[in-house]
Amino acid sequence: MKATPFFQELGIKYPIIQGGMAWVADGQLAAAVSNGGGLGIIGAGNAPGAVVAEQIKVARSLTDKPFGVNVMLMSPFVEEVIEVVLKAHVPVVTTGAGNPGKYIDDFKAAGSKVVPVVPSVALARMMARIGVDGVVAEGGESGGHIGQLATLPLVPQVVDAVDIPVFAAGGIGDGRGVAAAFMLGAAGVQMGTRFLAASETNIHENYKKAVIKAKDIDTQVTGRFAGSPVRVLKNKMSKKFLKLEKAEAQKPEPDFAKLDELGNGSLRRAVQEGDKETGSFMAGEIAGMVKKVQPAAEIIQEVVGQADQLLSDAGRFV
Ligand code: TUI
């Protein structure tokens, strides 16, 4: 499998982006993915600027390959994170959980390629108009904060709407998913959940075990009523959250702020403490297919090899 032009320009071998998972995607994972021929991403999440700066240093100490930073736009530290990212002149900036419009000129002036993650055609169009270098079209099969659409209808509609590279995300965890994404017109993919189980991923072993143990139906979406849907592995915490959320939604004047108390810090508790009682183990629907811990480079080789085989076999059917 060859890199498509976006990746060729960057000197990246395979059209695979690693999701910028908050609290999970640190400099070590990003470097491992980039060393394996993909595009590693540091997830800034809700971290302060100094933490992001440190992780950029870590990644630079572990790889001479290009990597990126994902800026989570709902972060209370978004402005200082952006300052850090601009100063670091990272090759790629991805964004999530919001509209990055007002920052794009600055990212481009710093020499970064800008790739917003979008959940809809409207946002993809808006981004293309502003001059971004590509978009990740992310379906609701993904882990974490999600939009409304599923990947299969979202990706081709975004591909038809814009004339920049579109990378597919949500529900992609092996070569079949990658091959399918190419058939939808994507120029690459972003995978998060599969990399949760990479050897280089610094998360609590309870988290990796939960991903590996998960079956197809073991994720659920919290926060739909409250207006901020987040896909997580089912556990005590997610069930309690949903129960409270549903009860609140039935009131004439729902007060969803109550849910913040429960949700605040829950991803950190999952990642660092492996806390199954109060932790939010964000993961995508493809978790049911993730069966073992493997080095990131091996994951990439496996996925790319399978996609290559499928795409060359597909020629027989046309
Ligand atoms: O951003 C993500 N996934 C994330 S961010 C995250 S950290 C977090 N934790 C708790 C609550 C919220 C965030 C965990 N997972 N994916 C990219 C993505 N962006 N998915 C959907 C969107 C999105 C949604 C709405 C982008 C823009 C948007 O609307 C923007 C607007 O204002 O029009």
Side-chain angles (χ1 to χ4, degrees), residues 24 26-33 195-203 208 293-299:
V24 171
D26 61 6
Q28 180 173 308
L29 177 62
V33 170
F195 287 117
L196 276 173
S199 324
E200 297 88 349
T201 303
N202 288 306
I203 57 178
K208 281 192 197 179
V293 172
Q294 289 171 282
E298 191 179 301
I299 293 174

Side-chain angles (χ1 to χ4, degrees), residues 20-23 44-46 70-75 95-100 116-120 122-123 126-127 136 138-140 142-148 190 228-231 263-264 266-267 280 282:
M21 300 167 282
W23 284 99
N46 279 318
N70 176 271
V71 177
M72 208 282 277
L73 294 162
M74 278 164 50
S75 165
T95 64
N99 179 345
V117 181
V118 299
S120 67
L123 196 57
M126 202 186 298
M127 294 298 103
V136 173
E138 188 190 86
S142 298
H145 182 68
I146 53 174
Q148 286 180 32
Q190 178 179 277
S228 180
V230 173
R231 183 176 298 283
N264 282 343
S266 62
L267 177 60
S280 289
M282 295 183 184

Side-chain angles (χ1 to χ4, degrees), residues 13-215:
K13 206 164 170 194
Y14 304 120
I16 295 183
I17 306 172
Q18 164 242 315
M21 300 167 282
W23 284 99
V24 171
D26 61 6
Q28 180 173 308
L29 177 62
V33 170
S34 289
N35 284 333
L39 173 58
I41 302 280
I42 295 166
N46 279 318
V51 172
V52 178
E54 181 58 33
Q55 291 309 313
I56 292 172
K57 243 197 227 168
V58 168
R60 284 199 168 134
S61 74
L62 295 172
T63 187
D64 53 7
K65 302 265 184 335
F67 62 88
V69 175
N70 176 271
V71 177
M72 208 282 277
L73 294 162
M74 278 164 50
S75 165
F77 299 110
V78 64
E79 299 292 339
E80 61 178 72
V81 164
I82 285 172
E83 226 168 90
V84 164
V85 170
L86 291 174
K87 260 199 202 142
H89 301 282
V90 291
V92 179
V93 177
T94 65
T95 64
N99 179 345
K102 63 179 173 181
Y103 307 115
I104 283 169
D105 287 347
D106 289 343
F107 290 140
K108 290 186 72 90
S112 304
K113 284 194 189 283
V114 188
V115 181
V117 181
V118 299
S120 67
V121 166
L123 196 57
R125 274 215 175 95
M126 202 186 298
M127 294 298 103
R129 215 176 304 130
I130 299 173
V132 303
D133 300 281
V135 290
V136 173
E138 188 190 86
E141 297 93 325
S142 298
H145 182 68
I146 53 174
Q148 286 180 32
L149 286 174
T151 304
L152 198 60
L154 175 66
V155 172
Q157 293 189 74
V158 171
V159 167
D160 285 349
V162 299
D163 54 8
I164 51 175
V166 176
F167 311 112
I172 300 171
D174 69 2
R176 292 172 294 183
V178 174
F182 276 96
M183 293 295 165
L184 298 176
V189 300
Q190 178 179 277
M191 298 196 306
T193 301
R194 179 86 191 257
F195 287 117
L196 276 173
S199 324
E200 297 88 349
T201 303
N202 288 306
I203 57 178
H204 196 280
E205 66 168 86
N206 288 354
Y207 202 151
K208 281 192 197 179
K209 279 187 182 152
V211 171
I212 285 165
K213 212 176 117 203
K215 298 191 298 296

